[in-house]
Amino acid sequence: MTSVVLSLSALLAVSALSAPAAAAAPSADRPAGVPAGWEAVDAADLARIGEEADARRAPLAAEDAAAEPELLAVESVANGRFAATEVNYAAPNTGVLRARSTEFGGSWESFAFEWDETTQTYALKSLANNRYVAVEKNYTGSAQNVLRARSTSVGGWERFVLYYSESLDRYALQSTLNGLFVTMENSYTGTLQYALRARSADITGSWEEFVLHPLAA
């Protein structure tokens, strides 16, 4: 596979970003709706991010954008770190996603965002192990609803709605499995520190907010 690197503009964005203080941990005691001030992002919208990684590429038509996944790095706003796939974790946590990388290192921090026109959702495939990211709804305790790159195919467990806030220039992910938003667990310790979990009923602040960086082939 052709190696991927962050575009110059993405690197500049990383160096300029100062990680904000984490907000109070949000609750997950009510169903999530469309968050105020945010709007859903389709394939054509997301393709515009990818164009920043290759200025020579002609703008994609909507149907072309849907057929070509965008390769992105996902940075947590809460701690300023990139989400990585923990391929070396032992079962049952093999492939858990954690926002723990201070720099972009390669495939561990790389994800393909695959658009599905029928469901108007995205599937995220980790380039570290070529597995789709699933929400582990049946896990219990602090690992419940953790994101894990472990699926070879896509179903309801692997579907997400992507939102964008123009005023904040940030993104959020909502699981279609439980209707909850992906949160970075900044207060966790141990092997699940900074784990990503679909457990917030709303976007309350930096815990649920991410910056997407385009990767250039």
Side-chain angles (χ1 to χ4, degrees):
M1 177 180 294
T2 304
S3 62
V4 292
V5 295
L6 274 176
S7 65
L8 178 59
S9 62
L11 285 171
L12 291 174
V14 173
S15 62
L17 179 66
S18 58
S27 64
D29 58 358
R30 63 190 188 282
V34 177
W38 298 72
E39 56 184 33
V41 176
D42 64 16
D45 293 329
L46 193 59
R48 297 188 185 100
I49 303 175
E51 288 168 19
E52 298 174 8
D54 187 355
R56 296 168 300 175
R57 185 171 64 187
L60 296 176
E63 60 271 17
D64 294 328
E68 183 173 337
E70 292 298 330
L71 301 181
L72 302 167
V74 180
E75 181 186 10
S76 168
V77 172
N79 68 356
R81 299 191 178 207
F82 293 97
T85 301
E86 299 293 0
V87 293
N88 292 335
Y89 271 21
N93 291 328
T94 309
V96 162
L97 268 59
R98 292 200 304 136
R100 55 85 169 163
S101 298
T102 56
E103 296 180 353
F104 176 83
S107 62
W108 286 52
E109 294 85 19
S110 302
F111 298 89
F113 279 59
E114 300 182 3
W115 173 253
D116 180 68
E117 186 69 27
T118 301
T119 61
Q120 298 282 292
T121 61
Y122 288 93
L124 279 60
K125 178 184 277 189
S126 169
L127 272 62
N129 61 3
N130 289 318
R131 298 294 180 97
Y132 289 100
V133 175
V135 174
E136 297 293 5
K137 185 177 181 179
N138 291 337
Y139 277 21
T140 59
S142 60
Q144 187 176 37
N145 297 325
V146 72
L147 270 59
R148 194 162 73 94
R150 54 85 166 166
S151 301
T152 57
S153 60
V154 179
W157 293 55
E158 295 81 20
R159 289 287 174 200
F160 298 88
V161 179
L162 181 65
Y163 291 98
Y164 176 70
S165 168
E166 185 174 4
S167 61
L168 298 173
D169 193 22
R170 296 171 182 174
Y171 291 83
L173 283 164
Q174 182 185 31
S175 168
T176 64
L177 179 67
N178 61 10
L180 301 179
F181 291 94
V182 174
T183 299
M184 191 279 291
E185 297 296 359
N186 200 49
S187 296
Y188 275 19
T189 59
T191 58
L192 288 181
Q193 186 178 36
Y194 307 140
L196 303 188
R197 288 203 304 143
R199 60 86 165 168
S200 293
D202 205 349
I203 303 173
T204 64
S206 62
W207 288 57
E208 296 86 18
E209 295 169 1
F210 300 89
V211 177
L212 301 183
H213 297 280
L215 306 179

